[in-house]
């Protein structure tokens, strides 16, 4: 397979935080001001009025971070926005690493301590490039192999179980990776 | 070898369109290599709908200071002061709002892959995607082109999306279905050589009926408007249009003038072409603030403009498309032959309340149309796909975007209504209250727009939430009140035609800036949106919801039977209403309540772009603010007169003098920052202001100043006199804008001293 899939998303889930989504707006503004996370951070976008949408999003040059419910469950979604010439595994690994860092920063943010705790045992990994990895058997093969390898970089000793999340070929190809 | 979209979609895109996109991609490469001028590239991308977005100058205020955004290729630009790496907005034309299920699915894919999974519907039936990388646009354009969607001339100085009544073909009041004519106009003018040399944009709208009771055509607020009409002739009914020209909102709104009371449909395209040629030839090119066709029509007068168009029409080279495009107006039915539902399964929860507000009963009794109420015009990609399924299952591809930022599914068999509702419910698209008071219209404002002054979407979201909670308590007539919010005076949120309108402005309080909204009362959608409201004063942003509550309370208590909100405003009078809102126009000190200094749905202390917060609130500052307040008061008094239908010529002239006086007072206020003793003599103020603030450049910044100075000049040259009521009304608007510009200048001066 020669396809080089760079545009990917990764998401970790959490229980509903029990605070208004609008409380995340100042958190992300604070991240921009204090450069809490790497990369170029641009602005905060508020989509809390849209049901099952990206919620509050921190838009960056390389990644966008959303407190997302687009698949019906609350979580932190990181979207890799740019092509840099990396291969598929490296792109997923970089996205996972960024996701886990952002999750840790949110959990420990001074205004959110005890409010939010992400479940790192299940990670959703998505292709965001239908040209290179559509929601079909070929796409699944590409994403599954690269995802398993990338997850091993973050969780070296863990066993993984991968499931296709959504078979509607129009939706983004998404895998659920269980880490045991 | 990886195949790109260009390779995959090659045979699905017309060759001329594919070539056009290839050329744009090449131009982008040239720009990156420094071989194409940034200004040229800016216009090229604008003509393909690739717009700038807030902070694309590489600077952002974080609530404490303006900081540089460290884009990787800092200094590489895609236009003047526009960083190449900065994300932008992609506007996508949807002519007369007509969408197919397949088109919706491709839009959903593009929103997910190139944006943030949100499709935004605009007040001109476009779709907009935000945070788009310019380098993704050629592939996006190819994917859209493969399903018949173009972004060509979605921005820039050309013919924008041709809008049309979304109820066309099913409306109970229409003369005939305008859809095929709007379609013909779109195809005829897209890329036409006669629409490439305008000084500004050009907006066209088609309405199916004169009364336009649903407010869906809005011909009167467009550069060129067509209102369907049927004329009796010896050989039967003849289709045509009442044609209006020179309308527009924006900072200085104009109601379009009647060009022809009846124009046969056969003349629609050649007359459009003739109008375009007259506008291209005689319209202003250098001063963009005076370049819309409304200024040309006002300057020439409608009779002279008509004479010029008629003369141009006579000498046009004949074009076979004039007849061919009109002849091909028959279209396939948009409904299925029979209902899909065999047995009614009953509706999901909330159907009754939803049905009261979201169903339209067309003139074809066996069908219904349903409005999909989109909060602030937004839906997600997943919702879009589910909607595509609904449209495909229950109609023959009949979906329209509406001018109220919603979607309309048409031609649903009545027997399928519950099934459609249930599917919308599952997709979380069954929000009730469409086109009611809770369905607030809002432009992007400071969320993403470079020109935004206050958070129109933030206020819009806040009002939606509050009004939705309380909507059930409101009596039906209050539910029909419409609220429209713009982030600045440019009126993308259509504040002039709301029962209650707001537009963003900024005020200095001590050493701080405070987001405000001007309150606009007296507008309406009736008669193709021919009634514009006027400002009565600015309230702090955080008091805007309370302002709405109070206005609705007054209206509920004081209206007579069946009296509209506009009728109540006219009867009671804006002066009276303003007097009862004045306590809401005050701002507590920063120490008392710092929330007033942060805009809605933001966390940063309020700022406008890079303007610093001034700390000098000395004596001179107080004098200036006093003068600006006096100027606003004069402008308000003038607005009351021009708003009075019974005002005679003398009173109209008095209004014009008041408006002129307001400008003099505002200018005098600014001069007081340097000379506290400046006399009130208009000529002295004018000359001093010119020397100290205009010639020196102090009054101008990137966005305001030049146009507003022109307003003052015009008023001064006429010594405050006007020709007629229309000009007086414009003078009042111009005075208000001049005052806004003096506020902005004062803020900059205060910042510079800090």
């Amino acid at each position: 397979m020669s396809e080089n899939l760079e545009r990917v998303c990764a998401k970790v889930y959490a229980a509903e935080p029990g605070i208004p989504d609008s409380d995340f707006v100042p958190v992300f503004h604070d991240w921009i001001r204090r450069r809490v996370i790497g990369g170029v951070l641009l602005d905060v976008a508020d989509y809390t009025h849209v049901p099952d949408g990206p919620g509050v999003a921190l838009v960056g040059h390389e990644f966008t971070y959303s407190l997302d419910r687009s698949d019906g469950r609350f979580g932190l979604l990181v979207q890799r926005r740019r092509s840099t010439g990396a291969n598929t595994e490296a792109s997923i690994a970089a996205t996972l690493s960024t996701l886990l860092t952002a999750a840790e920063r949110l959990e420990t943010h001074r205004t959110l301590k005890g409010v939010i705790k992400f479940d790192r045992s299940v990670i959703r990994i998505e292709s965001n490039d239908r040209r290179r990895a559509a929601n079909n058997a070929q796409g699944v093969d590409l994403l599954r192999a690269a995802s398993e390898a990338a997850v091993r970089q973050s969780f070296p000793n863990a066993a993984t179980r991968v499931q296709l999340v959504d078979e509607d070929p129009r939706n983004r190809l998404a895998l659920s990776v269980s880490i045991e | 070898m990886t195949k790109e979209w260009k390779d995959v979609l090659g045979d699905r895109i017309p060759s001329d369109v594919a070539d056009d996109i290839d050329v744009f991609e090449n131009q982008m490469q040239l720009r990156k290599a420094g071989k194409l001028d940034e200004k040229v590239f800016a216009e090229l991308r604008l003509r393909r709908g690739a717009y700038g977005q807030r902070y694309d100058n590489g600077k952002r205020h974080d609530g404490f200071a303006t900081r540089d955004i460290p884009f990787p290729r800092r200094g590489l630009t895609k236009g003047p002061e526009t960083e190449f790496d900065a994300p932008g907005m992609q506007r996508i034309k949807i002519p007369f709002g007509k969408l197919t299920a397949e088109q919706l699915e491709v839009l959903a894919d593009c929103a997910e892959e190139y944006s943030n999974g949100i499709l935004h519907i605009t007040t001109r039936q476009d779709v907009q995607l935000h945070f788009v990388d310019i380098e993704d646009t050629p592939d996006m354009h190819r994917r859209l082109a493969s399903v018949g969607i173009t972004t060509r001339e979605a921005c820039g100085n050309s013919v924008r999306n041709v809008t049309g009544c979304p109820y066309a073909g099913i409306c109970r009041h229409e003369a005939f279905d305008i859809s095929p004519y709007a379609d013909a106009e779109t195809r005829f003018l897209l890329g036409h050589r006669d629409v490439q040399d305008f000084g500004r944009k050009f907006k066209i709208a088609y309405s199916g009926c004169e009364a336009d009771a649903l407010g869906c055509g809005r011909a009167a607020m467009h550069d060129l408007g067509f209102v369907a009409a049927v004329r009796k002739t010896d050989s039967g009914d003849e289709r045509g249009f009442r044609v209006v020209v020179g309308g527009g909102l924006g900072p200085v709104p104009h109601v379009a003038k009647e060009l022809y009371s009846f124009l046969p449909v056969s003349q629609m395209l050649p007359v459009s072409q003739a109008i375009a040629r007259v506008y291209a030839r005689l319209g202003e090119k250098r001063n963009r603030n005076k370049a819309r066709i409304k200024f040309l029509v006002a300057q020439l007068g409608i009779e002279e403009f008509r004479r010029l168009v008629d003369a141009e029409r006579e000498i046009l080279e004949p074009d076979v498309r004039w007849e061919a495009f009109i002849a091909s107006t028959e279209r396939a039915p948009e409904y299925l032959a029979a209902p899909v539902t065999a047995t009614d399964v009953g509706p999901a929860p909330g159907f009754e309340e939803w049905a009261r507000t979201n169903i339209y009963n067309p003139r074809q009794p066996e069908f219904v149309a349903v409005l999909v109420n989109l909060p602030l015009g937004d839906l997600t990609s997943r919702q879009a796909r589910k909607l595509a399924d609904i449209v495909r299952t229950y109609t023959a591809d009949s979906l329209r975007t509406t001018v109220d930022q919603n979607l309309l599914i048409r031609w649903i068999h009545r027997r399928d209504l519950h099934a459609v509702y249930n599917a919308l419910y599952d997709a979380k698209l069954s929000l009730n209250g469409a086109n009611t008071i809770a369905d607030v219209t809002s432009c992007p404002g400071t969320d993403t727009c470079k020109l935004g002054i206050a958070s129109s979407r933030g206020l819009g979201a806040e009002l939606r939430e509050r009004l939705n909670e309380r909507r059930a308590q409101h009596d039906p007539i209050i539910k029909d009140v419409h609220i429209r919010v713009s982030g600045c005076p440019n009126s993308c949120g259509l504040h002039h035609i709301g029962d209650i309108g707001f537009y963003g402005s900024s005020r200095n309080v001590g050493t701080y800036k405070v987001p405000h909204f001007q309150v606009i009362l007296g507008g309406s959608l009736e008669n193709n949106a021919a009634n514009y409201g006027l400002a009565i004063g600015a309230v702090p942003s955080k008091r805007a919801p309370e302002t709405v509550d109070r206005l609705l309370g007054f209206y509920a208590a004081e209206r007579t039977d069946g009296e509209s909100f506009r009728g109540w405003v006219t009867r009671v009078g804006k002066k009276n209403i303003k007097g009862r809102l004045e306590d809401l126009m005050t701002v507590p000190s920063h120490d008392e309540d710092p929330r007033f200094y942060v805009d809605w749905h933001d966390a940063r202390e309020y700022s406008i772009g890079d303007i610093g917060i001034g700390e000098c609130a000395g004596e001179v500052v107080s004098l200036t603010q006093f003068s600006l307040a006096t100027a606003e008061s004069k402008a308000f008094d003038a607005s009351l007169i021009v708003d009075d239908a019974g005002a005679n010529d003398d009173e109209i002239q008095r209004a014009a003098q008041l408006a002129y006086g307001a400008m003099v007072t505002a200018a005098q206020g600014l001069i007081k920052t340097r000379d506290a003793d400046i006399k009130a003599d208009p000529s002295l103020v004018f000359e001093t202001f010119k020397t100290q603030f205009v010639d020196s450049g102090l009054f101008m910044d990137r966005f305001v100043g030049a146009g507003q100075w022109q307003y003052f000049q015009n008023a001064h040259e006429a010594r405050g006199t006007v020709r007629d009521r229309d000009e007086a009304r414009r003078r009042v608007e111009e005075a208000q804008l001049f005052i806004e510009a003096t506020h902005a200048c004062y803020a900059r001066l205060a910042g510079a001293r800090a």
Side-chain angles (χ1 to χ4, degrees):
Chain A
M1 180 65 68
S2 61
E3 299 285 3
N4 224 18
L5 174 66
E6 294 195 70
R7 290 167 190 251
V8 294
C9 305
K11 180 174 179 178
V12 285
Y13 297 94
E16 284 291 336
I19 59 170
D21 283 356
S22 55
D23 286 4
F24 293 110
V25 171
V27 174
F28 280 157
H29 278 292
D30 184 53
W31 281 24
I32 297 175
R33 190 172 65 81
R34 295 195 298 117
R35 300 190 180 177
V36 165
I37 200 159
V40 178
L41 303 176
L42 302 173
D43 199 17
V44 182
D46 183 346
Y47 297 107
T48 52
H49 54 281
V50 182
D52 288 354
V56 178
L58 169 57
V59 183
H61 179 75
E62 301 88 355
F63 294 96
T64 289
Y65 309 80
S66 307
L67 291 158
D68 174 84
R69 290 186 183 82
S70 61
D71 59 348
R73 291 176 60 195
F74 179 78
L76 173 65
L77 177 89
V78 169
Q79 174 188 349
R80 191 169 194 264
R81 290 165 49 88
R82 301 269 168 171
S83 301
T84 60
N87 65 28
T88 306
E89 182 186 324
S91 299
I92 297 172
T95 307
L96 274 178
S97 169
T98 303
L99 172 73
L100 295 172
T101 303
E104 187 271 332
R105 299 281 195 279
L106 272 174
E107 288 169 335
T108 57
H109 191 273
R110 65 183 189 282
T111 63
L112 296 177
K113 279 179 187 164
V115 168
I116 192 165
K117 179 69 184 169
F118 292 103
D119 172 8
R120 291 163 175 81
S121 68
V122 176
I123 297 177
R124 180 185 175 108
I125 297 175
E126 296 181 336
S127 156
N128 196 28
D129 182 343
R130 288 171 175 79
R131 175 79 288 283
R132 285 171 172 73
N135 197 351
N136 56 29
Q138 205 175 8
V140 170
D141 287 346
L142 169 68
L143 191 63
R144 180 193 299 269
S147 295
E148 286 175 330
V151 167
R152 277 195 294 273
Q153 292 184 33
S154 295
F155 302 90
N157 301 316
T160 58
R161 191 160 42 86
V162 179
Q163 280 184 299
L164 177 64
V165 173
D166 183 345
E167 293 189 348
D168 184 339
R170 298 174 304 169
N171 286 337
R172 286 198 281 221
L173 167 60
L175 302 177
S176 174
V177 181
S178 299
I179 299 158
E180 294 156 358
Chain B
M1 181 69 181
T2 302
K3 283 189 174 179
E4 301 298 337
W5 287 113
K6 183 177 176 177
D7 309 314
V8 176
L9 299 174
D11 59 352
R12 295 189 61 182
I13 306 174
S15 60
D16 59 328
V17 176
D19 290 347
D20 198 45
I21 298 170
D22 289 347
V23 167
F24 177 52
E25 194 164 36
N26 291 337
Q27 289 162 342
M28 192 155 59
Q29 297 307 322
L30 289 172
R31 175 66 208 134
K32 283 160 67 179
K35 294 177 180 172
L36 184 62
D37 178 76
E38 62 175 8
K39 285 183 185 171
V40 176
F41 181 69
E43 181 60 18
L44 291 168
R45 69 173 162 78
L46 285 170
R47 292 201 178 206
R48 285 161 179 80
Y51 222 77
Q53 197 173 305
R54 204 166 180 87
Y55 314 122
D56 65 8
N57 62 350
K59 294 181 186 299
R60 180 180 181 277
H61 198 277
D62 67 6
F64 293 85
T66 298
R67 301 189 198 281
D68 286 341
I69 302 173
F71 289 116
R73 292 176 285 188
R74 182 106 191 160
L76 173 63
T77 60
K78 53 185 174 183
E81 296 183 57
T82 310
E83 291 288 321
F84 196 90
D85 282 332
M89 179 269 279
Q90 176 67 54
R91 183 175 294 147
I92 300 162
K93 285 168 123 175
I94 310 295
F96 56 101
K98 187 175 186 302
L99 268 178
T100 66
E102 183 186 35
Q103 288 174 333
L104 189 57
E105 287 169 342
V106 171
L107 284 163
D109 291 352
C110 289
E112 247 169 16
E113 292 180 42
Y114 306 125
S115 176
N116 47 13
I118 292 286
L119 293 89
H120 175 71
I121 312 297
T122 75
T123 54
R124 295 204 74 255
Q125 297 177 295
D126 297 294
V127 171
Q128 287 181 180
L129 309 181
H130 290 95
F131 302 105
V132 173
D133 178 4
I134 183 82
E135 297 200 80
D136 286 334
T137 54
D139 272 348
M140 184 197 302
H141 296 176
R142 290 185 182 104
R143 293 170 79 174
L144 294 170
S146 73
V147 290
I149 296 177
T150 185
T151 66
R152 188 171 180 187
E153 292 162 4
C155 306
N157 298 332
S158 193
V159 177
R160 301 293 185 85
N161 193 38
V162 174
T163 59
C165 173
Y167 298 90
I170 61 171
C171 174
R172 295 192 301 271
H173 311 289
E174 70 184 1
F176 55 84
D177 181 354
I178 54 84
S179 307
Y181 302 97
D183 184 44
E185 182 86 292
T186 296
R187 289 188 292 138
F188 179 66
L189 292 181
L190 183 67
H192 195 289
R193 68 171 189 271
D194 288 337
V195 304
Q196 304 303 313
D197 191 29
F198 293 162
R200 284 297 306 277
K201 58 190 171 184
F202 193 81
K203 296 178 178 176
I204 301 175
Y206 279 76
S207 173
C209 60
E210 198 61 58
D212 196 19
L214 292 169
C216 34
R218 304 179 185 175
M221 50 169 259
H222 279 77
D223 296 294
L224 176 58
F226 293 90
V227 182
V230 173
R231 182 166 71 178
K232 299 285 183 195
T233 69
D234 292 342
S235 54
D237 288 349
E238 181 186 18
R239 286 185 173 188
F241 294 99
R242 188 169 78 86
V243 181
V244 295
V245 67
L249 298 182
V252 184
H254 290 52
V255 175
K257 302 287 187 190
E258 183 176 286
L259 186 64
Y260 301 112
S261 59
F262 186 89
L263 182 76
V265 291
S266 61
Q267 292 301 305
M268 183 188 91
L269 297 182
V271 163
S272 297
Q273 187 180 348
I275 291 169
R277 288 170 64 90
V278 170
Y279 175 45
R281 189 171 74 245
L282 300 178
E284 173 65 43
K285 297 276 181 18
R286 282 173 297 182
N287 180 358
R288 67 191 307 275
N289 295 310
K290 290 283 187 185
R292 293 288 292 272
I293 197 173
K294 61 189 178 184
F295 296 106
L296 180 64
V297 172
Q299 176 201 331
L300 294 172
I302 191 65
E303 291 80 13
E304 174 63 6
F305 188 81
R306 186 183 301 116
R307 188 191 69 74
L308 289 164
V309 170
D310 289 343
E312 195 70 34
R313 168 71 187 89
E314 286 300 311
I315 61 169
L316 280 182
E317 188 180 330
D319 187 332
V320 293
R321 295 176 299 172
W322 292 344
E323 288 185 12
F325 281 11
I326 298 297
S328 63
T329 54
E330 289 304 315
R331 294 155 58 243
E334 295 180 35
Y335 53 85
L336 300 177
V340 174
T341 310
T343 53
D344 189 357
V345 293
F351 175 79
E352 295 300 328
E353 176 65 14
W354 174 84
R356 271 196 284 277
T357 53
N358 292 42
I359 288 180
Y360 176 76
N361 292 306
R363 68 172 183 272
Q364 300 85 359
E366 66 272 38
F367 294 97
V368 291
V370 304
L371 279 160
V372 182
N373 184 5
L374 303 176
L376 303 181
D378 290 345
L379 79 163
T380 68
S381 291
R382 281 174 173 261
Q383 287 178 315
R385 287 190 197 99
K386 289 177 179 173
L387 191 59
D389 287 340
I390 296 169
V391 169
R392 202 176 265 132
T393 304
Y394 297 102
T395 77
D397 246 358
S398 188
L399 181 68
R400 301 283 169 102
T401 58
T402 80
V403 288
D404 290 309
Q405 301 181 302
N406 290 323
L407 292 162
L408 181 72
I409 313 174
R410 302 136 45 96
W411 297 107
I412 299 166
H413 284 279
R414 283 196 176 273
R415 199 201 293 170
D416 290 332
L417 180 59
H418 284 168
V420 168
Y421 174 74
N422 294 351
L424 290 171
Y425 183 85
D426 287 343
K428 299 197 176 178
L429 286 169
S430 61
L431 181 64
N432 60 38
N435 288 351
T436 67
I437 189 168
D439 191 3
V440 178
T441 300
S442 164
C443 72
T446 49
D447 275 18
T448 50
C449 177
K450 292 165 82 166
L451 302 178
I453 297 172
S455 177
S456 44
R457 271 167 70 89
L459 175 58
E462 190 67 27
L463 288 173
R464 278 188 80 101
E465 199 174 322
R466 294 183 186 209
L467 292 167
N468 254 327
E469 283 171 6
R470 295 174 39 214
R471 190 162 45 83
Q473 303 160 17
H474 287 141
D475 62 27
I477 200 161
I478 284 187
K479 287 180 184 172
D480 290 339
V481 171
H482 292 107
I483 301 176
R484 301 180 186 280
V485 189
S486 301
C488 77
N490 285 311
S491 204
C492 297
L494 311 182
H495 56 260
H496 288 106
I497 58 168
D499 293 293
I500 302 171
F502 291 102
Y503 76 78
S505 62
S506 166
R507 293 287 183 273
N508 272 25
V509 175
T511 58
Y512 296 92
K513 294 182 184 65
V514 181
H516 276 64
F517 279 95
Q518 279 281 357
V519 183
I520 314 290
L521 296 180
S524 86
L525 295 171
E526 291 169 4
N527 302 314
N528 273 291
N531 305 299
Y532 299 160
L534 284 171
I536 66 162
V539 296
S541 180
K542 289 292 170 72
R543 291 208 204 271
E546 194 180 347
T547 303
V548 169
D549 285 348
R550 195 177 288 186
L551 285 167
L552 295 179
F554 293 155
Y555 173 51
E558 298 168 13
R559 69 183 166 84
T560 58
D561 280 352
E563 188 175 41
S564 67
F565 187 85
R566 181 166 182 267
W568 168 74
V569 168
T570 305
R571 179 172 58 78
V572 173
K574 289 176 187 160
K575 189 169 187 176
N576 175 310
I577 296 170
K578 182 181 182 184
R580 292 191 275 169
L581 295 177
E582 285 201 331
D583 60 307
L584 297 179
M585 295 178 180
T586 61
V587 183
S589 71
H590 191 273
D591 289 344
E592 277 179 277
D593 196 342
R595 290 174 301 177
F596 278 75
Y597 299 76
V598 176
D599 211 343
W600 289 109
H601 291 211
D602 204 334
R604 296 167 291 170
E605 193 149 272
Y606 178 71
S607 161
I608 303 174
D610 300 329
I611 299 172
I613 298 172
E615 294 176 348
C616 177
E619 185 69 16
V620 174
V621 172
S622 296
L623 287 172
T624 300
Q625 288 184 309
F626 181 75
S627 292
L628 295 181
T630 305
E632 285 186 335
S633 174
K634 287 180 181 177
F636 176 71
D637 287 345
S639 78
L640 294 176
I641 298 171
V642 297
D643 217 28
D644 178 1
N648 60 31
D649 289 348
D650 288 345
E651 288 166 325
I652 291 297
Q653 290 299 335
R654 184 169 156 266
Q657 289 295 339
L658 274 169
Y660 170 50
M663 293 192 216
V664 172
T665 304
Q668 185 190 12
L670 266 189
I671 297 168
K672 283 178 180 174
T673 58
R674 299 173 158 210
D675 176 5
D677 296 322
I678 178 75
K679 298 287 186 287
D681 174 64
S683 292
L684 174 65
V685 169
F686 181 84
E687 292 302 331
T688 309
F689 185 79
K690 179 176 182 302
T691 307
Q692 295 190 3
F693 287 89
V694 178
D695 295 346
S696 67
L698 273 179
F699 189 59
M700 323 298 185
D701 74 2
R702 287 187 305 155
F703 305 117
V704 296
Q708 288 78 357
W709 161 238
Q710 186 70 50
Y711 300 149
F712 188 21
Q713 269 187 301
N714 293 345
H716 183 69
E717 284 166 12
R719 292 294 185 271
T721 63
V722 290
R723 283 175 296 183
D724 53 26
R725 178 188 291 268
D726 278 355
E727 191 178 3
R729 193 179 176 88
R730 286 198 292 276
R731 181 69 50 78
V732 173
E733 296 278 355
E734 290 170 354
Q736 189 60 49
L737 293 166
F738 180 78
I739 295 166
E740 290 292 339
T742 56
H743 272 292
C745 182
Y746 167 60
R748 287 197 301 277
L749 293 176
R753 289 176 184 195

